[in-house]
Amino acid sequence: MALPTEIIGGRLIDGSSFLPTSKMLMNQRVGMVKRNQFLGSPVLVPSQQIRRQEQLKRAVRAPVAAISEDIIKTNNKTTVPEKAVNFKVRAVVTVRNKHKEDLKETIVKQLDSLTDKIGRNVVLELISTDVDPKSKEPRRSKPAALRDWSKKSNLKAERVHYTAEFTVDSNFGVPGAITVINKHQQEFFMESITIEGFACGPVHFPCNSWIQSKKDHPGKRILFSNKPYLPSETPAGLRALREKELRDLRGDGKGVRKLSDRIYDFDVYNDLGNPDKSVSLTRPSLGGKTIPYPRRCRTGRLPMDSDITAESRVEKPLPLYVPRDEQFEESKQNTFSAGRLKAVLHTIIPSLKATISAENHDFSGFSDIDILYKEGLLLKVGLQDEIWKNLPLPKVVTKIQESSEGMLKYDTPKILSRDKFAWLRDDEFARQAVSGVNPVSIESLKVFPPKSNLDPEIYGPQESAFKEEHILGHLNGLSVSQALEENKLFIIDYHDVYLPFLDRINSLDGRKAYATRTLFFLTPLGTLKPIAIELSLPPAGLNSRSKRVVTPPMDATSNWVWQLAKAHVCSNDAGVHQLVNHW
């Protein structure tokens, strides 16, 4: 078998355009085979040689896939990997500055810019998704420091870009993580990192995180690229880092949390009361095994003296622990503070005006509501009053108004800025049922008429006051049963959640509330249309009329009754949104 193998191999060489002298090489190989006389073959006589050559010619004419042993050896030599070559890649790091710094932060920032020159800097290290076969550890670059920190520390731009240069070898692979060590005294906000210079193209790391000083958190901070992986598909070079990062974020349930921590371990709400101050301020714990939610971030504070199960409180102005990356950023905090100030002023000023003035300042028409958006509260309460002008508060408020371009004006809702009377129309009322602030209460109607789950002995008959005649004219020719089968009817039902509280609500001065049910029809255009509203009160007696159905108007009088019914639905919706769903 060796002879055909050698000749077939020679035939392959002969067909190669890279070796023009392959015929000569083949003849030499045949001669070598004859001289070697391997496998103990006897010397071939001429007739036997001729027959043997004919057999070989027939064998060579067929397609072959054999390769000579010499060629295999040669190819093996050429496929040996070359020695790894080092090359450099560049990182662009985006750091976001604070809008305002206090004196302490400014001083520390200047010190960091000076010490950065002597090695107390920010050091980064690239980590590959691949593992080194020798060390069984992820491949790493050589550490690199951020450049020009001291030169750019005084820039007033919102975002400052720094660079770093890494040295990696040609076997490094694709970067999947970066470690950061902050040797400065002060934390900074790292927004993103982009690595350039790899064959795969730029690799992005969306950080959006505070990088704490090494003195506060000695370990390296780990940041991952924007490529997600399932746990089973995580590259070998990133698995241990992913597990470590997860352990760090979960915490171990021990110790007192620092404001710079990024730990998300949770605890029950056992700090709502203050029994050390007064027994009347004792509050139960919320959450636990039977009721798993709500939860709060664990803080590890000491227990109360009078109740070991209650955690001691943090009173203002001391801040409450929130994981560092979850705290309001500066612009968000400013917006929140401005909104809170607006809310306080919008509440205090009318109250003070009502207290010192005998005039009745209830809204007399819709134009009064427009004034809140156009001119603000100062005009609404009437600054012309001499008593009001002499109070110290309005002077402060006037300065706020002048310096903040209408702090006391209400923000005009976007829907009103486009259409002043959109809120009056049924289509906007229905749109907000699925696109408003509380889109989670609407559901498909399964049974008509709907029924209550409250105790009928206390709250009256469970059946709704809806009748077929209330809605038949609004079903686009369908019967009620057809509309139910085709899922054309929807309901927002606040009957059971409100009815038990109505007596207490309506006993308050100036209050009037109903428990509402609202039916909607899905039109052929794919929009909802309100077709009936039920207003309910707790039964006052055997013959009391506790339920009333209001339908879309047919004249001017019934139009305003319909508008008031929708207003009660919106009132119910706001209460459920804030006190049930939101809370």
Side-chain angles (χ1 to χ4, degrees):
M1 293 297 294
L3 184 61
T5 301
E6 289 293 340
I7 293 181
I8 291 172
R11 180 72 175 183
L12 291 175
I13 295 175
D14 185 40
S16 173
S17 61
F18 296 102
L19 296 174
T21 58
S22 56
K23 290 185 178 181
M24 180 180 67
L25 292 175
M26 184 187 71
N27 294 334
Q28 291 177 352
R29 288 174 181 269
V30 174
M32 289 173 62
V33 171
K34 290 180 179 180
R35 287 194 299 271
N36 289 337
Q37 297 292 317
F38 58 88
L39 296 179
S41 300
V43 178
L44 298 176
V45 297
S47 61
Q48 291 175 327
Q49 289 179 353
I50 294 173
R51 286 196 301 271
R52 188 65 169 171
Q53 290 173 357
E54 291 295 330
Q55 292 174 358
L56 292 175
K57 287 180 182 179
R58 287 193 297 270
V60 169
R61 290 192 188 100
V64 295
I67 301 175
S68 73
E69 296 174 1
D70 291 346
I71 293 178
I72 293 175
K73 292 178 182 178
T74 304
N75 287 341
N76 284 340
K77 290 179 182 178
T78 59
T79 57
V80 173
E82 297 181 359
K83 185 178 180 180
V85 178
N86 290 339
F87 65 98
K88 295 183 182 297
V89 295
R90 180 172 175 263
V92 179
V93 180
T94 303
V95 174
R96 192 164 69 201
N97 284 331
K98 288 186 175 181
H99 296 292
K100 295 181 180 179
E101 294 178 342
D102 56 30
L103 180 60
K104 180 181 177 181
E105 290 174 334
T106 303
I107 294 174
V108 174
K109 186 175 182 179
Q110 293 301 320
L111 290 175
D112 284 339
S113 66
L114 293 175
T115 57
D116 188 84
K117 298 179 180 179
I118 60 174
R120 291 179 57 179
N121 45 21
V122 180
V123 180
L124 288 73
E125 188 177 24
L126 276 182
I127 301 177
S128 173
T129 56
D130 298 336
V131 172
D132 190 321
K134 294 181 180 179
S135 65
K136 306 301 181 183
E137 295 291 332
R139 298 182 188 273
R140 296 174 181 266
S141 70
K142 294 181 180 180
L146 288 189
R147 296 176 174 177
D148 299 331
W149 186 281
S150 58
K151 293 181 180 179
K152 298 181 178 180
S153 61
N154 292 324
L155 291 179
K156 301 302 181 183
E158 182 179 2
R159 290 172 175 82
V160 181
H161 303 288
Y162 300 93
T163 60
E165 196 172 73
F166 299 97
T167 300
V168 297
D169 61 45
S170 53
N171 296 327
F172 183 81
V174 178
I178 293 177
T179 62
V180 183
I181 301 176
N182 179 14
K183 299 179 183 179
H184 293 166
Q185 296 293 309
Q186 188 166 266
E187 66 176 5
F188 64 89
F189 190 85
M190 184 176 284
E191 193 170 78
S192 65
I193 303 175
T194 300
I195 309 297
E196 300 171 341
F198 285 96
C200 62
V203 182
H204 301 286
F205 291 78
C207 309
N208 294 314
S209 181
W210 290 96
I211 307 299
Q212 300 298 326
S213 171
K214 186 178 180 180
K215 66 182 178 62
D216 295 323
H217 295 274
K220 295 180 179 180
R221 181 64 193 282
I222 305 171
L223 302 165
F224 296 96
S225 69
N226 62 344
K227 185 174 182 179
Y229 299 98
L230 292 172
S232 60
E233 298 174 357
T234 303
L238 302 182
R239 287 174 192 164
L241 295 175
R242 288 283 191 184
E243 292 171 359
K244 182 182 183 305
E245 178 72 358
L246 188 58
R247 287 195 303 268
D248 292 344
L249 292 176
R250 285 175 172 171
D252 56 5
K254 300 177 182 178
V256 180
R257 293 285 167 261
K258 299 182 295 184
L259 294 178
S260 59
D261 285 343
R262 298 170 49 250
I263 299 176
Y264 292 79
D265 56 348
F266 294 96
D267 200 353
V268 297
Y269 273 98
N270 60 349
D271 64 342
L272 298 177
N274 194 353
D276 284 355
K277 186 175 182 180
S278 172
V279 178
S280 62
L281 297 178
T282 301
R283 298 290 183 271
S285 297
L286 299 182
K289 292 183 179 179
T290 55
I291 306 176
Y293 297 101
R295 282 287 190 269
R296 67 179 177 93
C297 283
R298 179 189 169 277
T299 61
R301 297 191 302 267
L302 294 175
M304 290 277 187
D305 294 333
S306 57
D307 185 358
I308 195 173
T309 63
E311 191 175 88
S312 56
R313 291 177 58 86
V314 172
E315 303 291 350
K316 291 183 178 180
L318 296 177
L320 192 67
Y321 171 72
V322 177
R324 184 64 183 98
D325 289 342
E326 302 303 325
Q327 297 173 23
F328 278 169
E329 62 178 1
E330 196 173 4
S331 58
K332 176 73 172 180
Q333 182 64 52
N334 292 339
T335 303
F336 181 79
S337 299
R340 181 170 55 185
L341 178 59
K342 274 188 177 183
V344 170
L345 294 175
H346 291 168
T347 303
I348 288 178
I349 293 177
S351 300
L352 287 174
K353 178 61 180 174
T355 302
I356 64 176
S357 175
E359 298 178 15
N360 185 359
H361 290 285
D362 290 339
F363 291 119
S364 59
F366 291 116
S367 60
D368 290 347
I369 299 177
D370 291 338
I371 289 175
L372 296 178
Y373 300 126
K374 293 180 180 179
E375 301 169 3
L377 276 171
L378 294 182
L379 184 62
K380 172 69 178 71
V381 299
L383 284 179
Q384 68 277 8
D385 293 352
E386 291 299 325
I387 299 177
W388 180 256
K389 289 181 179 180
N390 292 329
L391 286 177
L393 182 61
K395 297 177 181 178
V396 176
V397 171
T398 303
K399 291 180 180 179
I400 294 175
Q401 167 116 344
E402 293 173 353
S403 62
S404 58
E405 298 181 357
M407 173 70 75
L408 300 183
K409 290 183 181 180
Y410 283 85
D411 295 328
T412 304
K414 290 183 179 180
I415 185 68
L416 294 186
S417 64
R418 294 192 297 266
D419 185 351
K420 186 176 179 179
F421 297 103
W423 61 275
L424 279 170
R425 294 198 302 269
D426 288 354
D427 58 350
E428 176 61 19
F429 175 79
R431 185 192 70 82
Q432 291 193 23
V434 292
S435 302
V437 294
N438 185 27
V440 299
S441 294
I442 191 168
E443 57 185 351
S444 177
L445 183 66
K446 301 300 181 185
V447 178
F448 185 86
K451 290 186 177 182
S452 170
N453 293 318
L454 298 176
D455 187 349
E457 295 183 2
I458 301 175
Y459 300 105
Q462 294 180 317
E463 291 77 16
S464 168
F466 287 133
K467 305 296 181 184
E468 288 195 6
E469 54 264 27
H470 290 138
I471 64 173
L472 272 178
H474 305 283
L475 301 184
N476 201 34
L478 299 176
S479 66
V480 174
S481 59
Q482 288 175 321
L484 289 174
E485 290 175 2
E486 297 180 16
N487 293 319
K488 297 289 187 180
L489 290 175
F490 295 84
I491 187 171
I492 295 179
D493 192 345
Y494 292 135
H495 179 276
D496 288 5
V497 71
Y498 262 91
L499 202 64
F501 300 97
L502 286 181
D503 284 337
R504 280 178 281 175
I505 293 173
N506 291 330
S507 65
L508 301 173
D509 292 338
R511 301 291 188 271
K512 186 64 177 179
Y514 293 93
T516 64
R517 288 188 178 107
T518 309
L519 293 181
F520 297 87
F521 177 70
L522 181 62
T523 69
L525 297 176
T527 60
L528 291 175
K529 178 177 72 172
I531 57 175
I533 296 173
E534 180 188 74
L535 305 176
S536 300
L537 293 170
L542 294 177
N543 297 321
S544 65
R545 184 185 179 190
S546 61
K547 298 179 181 179
R548 175 181 179 179
V549 176
V550 181
T551 55
M554 302 297 295
D555 51 45
T557 302
S558 59
N559 176 66
W560 285 111
V561 173
W562 175 248
Q563 297 296 343
L564 285 171
K566 291 194 296 181
H568 279 291
V569 175
C570 292
S571 176
N572 281 187
D573 190 71
V576 171
H577 167 64
Q578 294 291 359
L579 298 176
V580 181
N581 299 331
H582 195 179
W583 173 248

